Structure formats: C-alpha cells, structure tokens
C-alpha cells in the first residue's frame, strides 16, 4: 500500500508510470523506485525461496546489506531488489534457491 | 589509474560533512557511495533533531541532508555514486565497481564513513517475510512512501524503536504494541510518551517468543520475562499482526577497516568491534581516518561532527591548514561533540569513546 498523504512529507505526487512483469503478472510501478518498494506496494511479500528448505524470504534491511530480498531480474539471479531501481518492462521472478542465469527473449 | 587527494567512502552524514570540510580547506575530494543517491540514512529521518541550535536541533533530518548535498555540490566535491568499494589495497588503492565494471582510484588520504547495519534477533519465525528491521520499515515509509504492513509490533524501545513506531503511525499503519525485554524503556521518555499517547501498548520485561505464519507473518506470541530475563510460563500472549519490526541496535559496518588492517577494540556499548582511533579520528594506519557510526553507534548529529573532525584533521595533515588554525577549528567541533554527548545516554557514549581514544595512547584494553 502506498502512503499517498503524509502529515510531514505531504502528498506523494509521483505517478505509476512503469509496468513490471512479476512472475508473469503485470504490475504498475514508479520508474526509479526500488523493485522491493513496488512489490511491497502491490502486496507481494515472498521474494524468494531458500535453496535447501524452500522457505520464503522477503525484505529485511531494505538498504542492500542483508541480501534476503534477492530475486531474478531480467534473467539475472541474486539481484538486490531493495537497491535496484524499477525500469519500465522489467521482468522479475521469484527466485528459487540460488537461481539460474537465463536469456530473456 | 585515477588519483585523488582524499577519498571518502560513504556519502552519509559523516562522509558528506568530512567532504565539505576538506573542500572548504581547498582540498580535492572524491566521495564514493554504493547507492544511487547520496545522503545515507539521513533522508529517512523525518523527525526533528535533538541538541542545541548549533547542532541544527529542531530541524528535520532530511532537511539537513538537503543542505549537506547543496554544500557538497557548491564546493565541487566529486561524488561517485553506484560505486560500491570492495577493498583497500596497498598504497591506498581503492577497488570499486561501477556499471558492472571493476575500477580503481588511488588516494593520499582515506576517510571511512561506512555507517552501520541493523541487528537481527533470532526466534522461531524470525525469517518469515514481514519480519524486518525497524530502519527498513522507516526507509520504506519515509523514502519510498510504501507501507510494509497494516498491523505492526515493534520489538525494542531504544530511540529507533520509539521514533519509527511514531513514524509508522504517521504513515497510516496501526502499531499494535511495542515490547522491550528490559524492565525500562531504552530511549528518550519524550518519544515513549508520544507513542503511548497515540494509543500504542507498551510491554516492558517482554520478549518475542515466536512469530506465526505460513508464507508471511500472521501473528506474534510475546511472553513476560522475570528479573533473570527468563520467560515466565503462562504469560504468553498472541497478538495478531502482519509485520514485526526489529529495533535491537546496530552494528558498525567495519569490513573495509578490517581489510585495510586497522587495529580494533571490542566495545559492546558502542556496538561491537570498533577501529581504534585518536582525537583526530585517525586509525592505527597513518592517513586512514574513520567517522560516524563505524566508530561507535550514535546519531546523525554526532556523525556529522565526527566527519568534520576527520575532515579538518585530514586537511591539516595535507598542509591545507596550519596547526594553529586546525586546532582552533577542531576545538569548536569537540565542544559541540561534548555537548551532544551529555545526559544519561550521551555520557555513557562519551566515556566509552574516551576509553577507546586512550587506547591509542597505549592505555589498557577496555575489556
């Protein structure tokens, strides 16, 4: 959920001007915001599954330190979504284990 | 290879303040940061800062950040963004990457201002999506304008836990409870009163026993603690939440100081292993300075003052300031730092810092 109105920061006038494809689903996002923020706004919480026990993981530190939020972005695995800006048309996938490199298109 | 007079690693409050001081003295500075924007964690601090007018008290953190960025720009500081530093080699050669390529820059002096990261807390369910650092939630609401959840429990009542609880309320979330393992609130009473008045239940002598949920957080079980910090059977309480924020302190990001070969001291009250440094913020390696949370967890206000100290000392060592001029400037910064380190919280930090600096003069280990 986005914080549209804020008593200190005022109105958020940015527009959802980008579309990203998350596990095949189109999601509206703001170009330049971190991928993790766009997913959080869309209510997505599970970003990857662990290699051995297949357990879900999501955002923990949000500043690029913990690497819990890594996903496969445009075919590149282990991308820190909390510090990687959204670009229009990005293809984002929930990462299973250590992920796989993949050619896009 | 690219060369620079002074390289500063980390463009948060300490790094920016240091860069401004050196540029003001006429030095040539390169500021490196792994993020796409400078400012470190200043821009998520939307609350008014404490301290006196000299410390820009009463001004909100992000406004101070904007001022620092304006100054660095005006002074012509060279800022390299999206440039994570991965090591410091011999002769102060700094290795970093940019756009997927390896790069290097050699400096005459280095200032490390790498900051800190949030501590985790281990309990069953602590890895479930929805359990996150309080600072992470703060980044999401105040910088990216996204709510991490609707019903939140905060773990830890230091200033971070208290302030972020209030800011979550401001952003429209429901902070259901704040728990603290110690018998008393850890942070300032003024912050605690504010969230209590807003209706947040505060449980002291309580910890989190487990977090429940299938694919993400669905609830938390808290439990009371006795004087020996042992869980009291029968006091377990289930609270329905979708998010658990962890505010149990920070640890200095000291990897580069270790890699560079700095000597360290273990100071729990400052957050763990801290590179030894003197009153000029110079480490056991000549020409390598440190500033900010890396030298002990404090606040942005003291980080900026430490950055100024390191910057002035660095400029002095390069001959940009006379000894007398530098002494005068440093004394002014020290007076402000001492003023920031007052009160029950500040004095503890001041004592720890003093002991740490004594180590450079051959004092005994802190233990």
């Amino acid at each position: 959920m986005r914080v549209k109105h804020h008593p200190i920061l005022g109105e958020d006038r940015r527009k959802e001007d980008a579309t990203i494809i998350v596990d095949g689903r189109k999601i509206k996002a703001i170009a330049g915001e971190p991928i993790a923020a766009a997913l959080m706004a869309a209510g997505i919480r599970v970003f990857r599954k662990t290699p051995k026990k297949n357990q879900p993981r999501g955002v923990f530190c949000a500043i690029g330190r913990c690497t819990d939020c890594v996903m496969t972005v445009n075919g590149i695995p282990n991308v820190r979504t909390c510090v990687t800006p959204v670009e229009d048309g990005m293809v984002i996938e929930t990462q299973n284990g250590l992920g796989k490199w993949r050619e896009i298109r | 290879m690219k060369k620079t007079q002074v390289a500063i690693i980390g463009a948060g409050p300490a790094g920016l303040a240091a860069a401004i001081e050196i540029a003001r003295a006429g030095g040539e500075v390169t500021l490196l940061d792994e993020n796409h924007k400078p400012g470190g964690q200043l821009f998520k601090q939307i609350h008014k800062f404490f301290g006196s007018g000299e410390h820009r008290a009463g001004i909100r953190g992000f406004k101070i950040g904007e001022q620092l960025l304006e100054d660095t720009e005006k002074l012509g500081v060279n800022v390299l963004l999206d440039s994570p530093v991965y090591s410091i080699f011999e002769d102060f050669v700094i290795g970093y990457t940019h756009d997927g390529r390896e790069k290097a820059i050699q400096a005459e002096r280095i200032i490390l201002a790498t900051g800190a990261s949030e501590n985790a807390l281990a309990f069953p369910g602590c890895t479930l999506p929805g359990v996150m650092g309080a600072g992470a939630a703060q980044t999401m609401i105040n910088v990216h304008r996204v709510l991490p959840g609707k019903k939140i429990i905060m773990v830890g009542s230091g200033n971070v836990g208290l302030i972020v609880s209030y800011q979550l309320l401001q952003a429209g979330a429901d902070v259901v409870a704040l728990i603290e393992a110690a018998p008393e609130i850890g942070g300032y009473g003024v912050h605690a009163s504010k969230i209590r008045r807003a209706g947040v239940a505060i449980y002291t002598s309580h910890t989190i026993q487990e977090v429940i949920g299938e694919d993400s957080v669905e609830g938390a079980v808290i439990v009371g603690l006795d004087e020996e910090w042992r869980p009291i059977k029968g006091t377990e309480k289930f609270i329905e939440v979708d998010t658990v924020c962890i505010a149990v302190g920070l640890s200095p990001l000291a990897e580069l100081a270790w890699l560079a070969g700095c000597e360290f001291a273990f100071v729990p009250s400052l957050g763990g292993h801290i590179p030894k440094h003197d009153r000029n913020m110079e480490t056991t390696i000549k020409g390598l300075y440190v500033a900010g949370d890396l030298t002990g967890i404090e606040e942005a206000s003291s980080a900026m003052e430490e950055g100024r100290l390191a910057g002035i000392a660095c400029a002095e060592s390069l001959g940009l300031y006379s000894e007398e001029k530098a002494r005068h400037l440093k004394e002014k910064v020290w007076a402000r730092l001492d003023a920031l380190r007052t009160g029950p919280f500040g004095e503890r930090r001041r004592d720890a810092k003093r002991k740490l600096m004594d180590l450079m003069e051959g004092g005994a280990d802190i233990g």
Side-chain angles (χ1 to χ4, degrees):
Chain A
M1 203 169 60
R2 296 202 183 268
V3 184
K4 279 277 169 207
H5 318 281
H6 194 285
I8 309 294
L9 299 168
E11 296 289 303
D12 186 358
R13 297 188 195 283
R14 296 174 303 166
K15 292 250 156 31
E16 289 183 334
D17 54 358
T19 304
I20 53 176
I21 296 120
V22 184
D23 292 332
R25 199 175 108 206
K26 280 185 182 170
I27 282 169
K28 284 281 179 201
I30 300 168
E33 73 177 336
I35 295 168
L39 300 190
M40 203 175 256
I44 297 169
R45 307 193 96 184
V46 180
F47 286 29
R48 67 178 178 106
K49 295 282 180 83
T50 57
K52 285 183 188 161
K53 295 184 177 169
N54 205 37
Q55 289 173 340
R57 292 286 189 276
V59 172
F60 180 77
C61 83
I63 55 168
R65 292 267 57 86
C66 76
T67 67
D68 235 14
C69 70
V70 298
M71 298 178 86
T72 303
V73 177
N74 289 343
I76 302 167
N78 303 310
V79 173
R80 296 174 299 169
T81 56
C82 70
V83 290
T84 304
V86 161
E87 289 165 18
D88 191 35
M90 256 180 174
V91 178
I92 294 149
E93 293 159 289
T94 302
Q95 184 170 314
N96 284 311
L98 302 175
K100 282 198 178 71
W101 286 82
R102 197 168 53 73
E103 201 83 29
I104 287 279
R105 270 184 276 268
Chain B
M1 196 189 326
K2 262 197 291 192
K3 287 188 197 274
T4 184
Q5 203 167 22
V6 184
I8 302 176
I9 301 165
L16 287 168
I20 289 166
E21 284 303 328
I22 292 163
R24 246 183 219 148
E28 183 253 331
V29 199
T30 304
L31 185 53
L32 297 104
D33 196 285
E34 70 165 332
N35 295 292
H36 296 263
K37 284 173 195 158
Q41 307 310 313
L42 256 182
F43 286 96
K44 67 190 190 191
Q45 303 192 25
I46 61 165
H47 51 280
K48 292 176 181 169
F49 278 23
F50 272 120
S52 66
E54 279 187 321
H55 307 117
R56 307 202 210 173
I59 299 177
R60 299 182 192 278
F62 68 104
K63 290 279 176 203
I64 296 174
E66 284 166 9
Q67 185 63 53
L68 288 175
L69 294 191
E70 211 183 295
D71 289 349
T72 42
E73 205 167 307
K74 245 188 269 167
L75 290 161
V77 173
N78 180 27
V79 187
L80 302 179
L81 297 170
D82 188 19
S83 300
V85 171
Y86 63 85
S87 196
I88 295 168
F89 301 103
E90 261 173 57
D91 302 323
F92 283 3
V93 172
I94 296 163
Y96 66 100
T97 62
H98 181 71
D99 251 350
R101 280 169 203 277
E102 240 182 283
K103 307 240 177 185
I105 185 166
Q106 188 174 29
E108 291 169 43
R109 304 283 186 279
I110 296 175
I111 300 176
L112 296 177
T114 44
S117 67
E118 295 191 274
N119 294 335
L121 191 65
F123 49 80
C126 67
T127 56
L128 270 176
V131 178
M132 69 182 71
Q138 193 185 27
T139 301
M140 282 299 168
I141 52 173
N142 295 345
V143 180
H144 307 310
R145 304 287 298 260
V146 173
L147 268 180
K150 291 191 182 85
K151 293 181 86 173
I152 299 172
I153 183 168
M154 180 66 66
V155 182
S157 72
N159 280 332
V160 171
L162 298 173
I163 291 172
V164 175
S165 292
Y166 191 71
Q167 293 178 353
L168 282 162
L169 295 170
Q170 285 180 318
D174 182 10
V175 180
V176 184
L178 180 142
I179 63 168
E180 167 57 56
E184 277 165 26
I185 296 287
Y188 294 137
V190 51
H191 295 316
S193 319
K194 225 170 160 177
I195 63 163
R196 189 67 198 89
R197 280 200 301 275
V200 176
I202 297 178
Y203 297 87
T204 50
S205 292
H206 272 74
T207 192
I208 201 148
Q209 190 170 63
E210 69 175 312
V211 164
I212 292 158
E214 192 59 45
D215 257 350
S216 68
V217 176
E218 290 163 30
V221 179
I222 64 167
V223 63
L225 297 173
D226 66 16
E227 294 88 34
E228 306 285 314
W229 298 55
R230 285 173 307 214
I232 305 167
K233 273 218 168 81
T235 61
E236 297 87 355
K237 185 177 162 78
F238 176 79
I239 300 182
E240 202 190 313
V241 288
D242 57 25
T243 303
V244 179
C245 286
I246 309 291
V248 295
L250 297 112
S251 297
L253 284 169
E255 293 90 339
L256 289 173
W258 285 110
L259 281 167
C262 292
E263 279 180 35
F264 274 73
F266 184 65
V267 194
S269 62
L270 291 176
H273 284 96
I274 314 285
K276 291 183 191 172
H277 58 271
D278 61 14
R279 282 176 68 85
N280 283 331
M281 307 310 291
E282 194 171 16
T283 64
T284 50
I285 293 172
K286 204 170 161 40
L288 182 70
Y289 299 77
V290 284
D293 273 355
L294 163 64
T295 74
I297 305 300
E298 290 190 271
E299 291 156 3
S301 322
S302 30
M304 286 184 278
E305 297 298 357
E306 284 194 339
R308 287 184 189 113
L309 263 186
I312 295 162
C314 200
E316 181 189 7
S317 81
L318 288 164
L320 300 167
Y321 281 138
S322 69
E323 202 187 320
E324 201 196 322
K325 169 85 177 164
R327 192 190 317 120
H328 174 70
L329 290 172
K330 284 188 283 188
E331 268 167 16
K332 282 209 286 197
V333 180
W334 268 110
R336 291 200 298 266
L337 256 181
D338 285 339
L340 280 172
R341 291 171 181 153
T342 51
F345 300 103
E347 264 158 37
R348 219 180 307 155
R349 292 199 309 256
R350 192 175 62 181
D351 290 347
K353 281 289 225 187
R354 198 172 282 157
K355 279 185 195 155
L356 183 69
M357 287 170 186
D358 284 348
L359 288 179
M360 292 293 279
E361 275 109 56
D365 216 331
I366 292 174

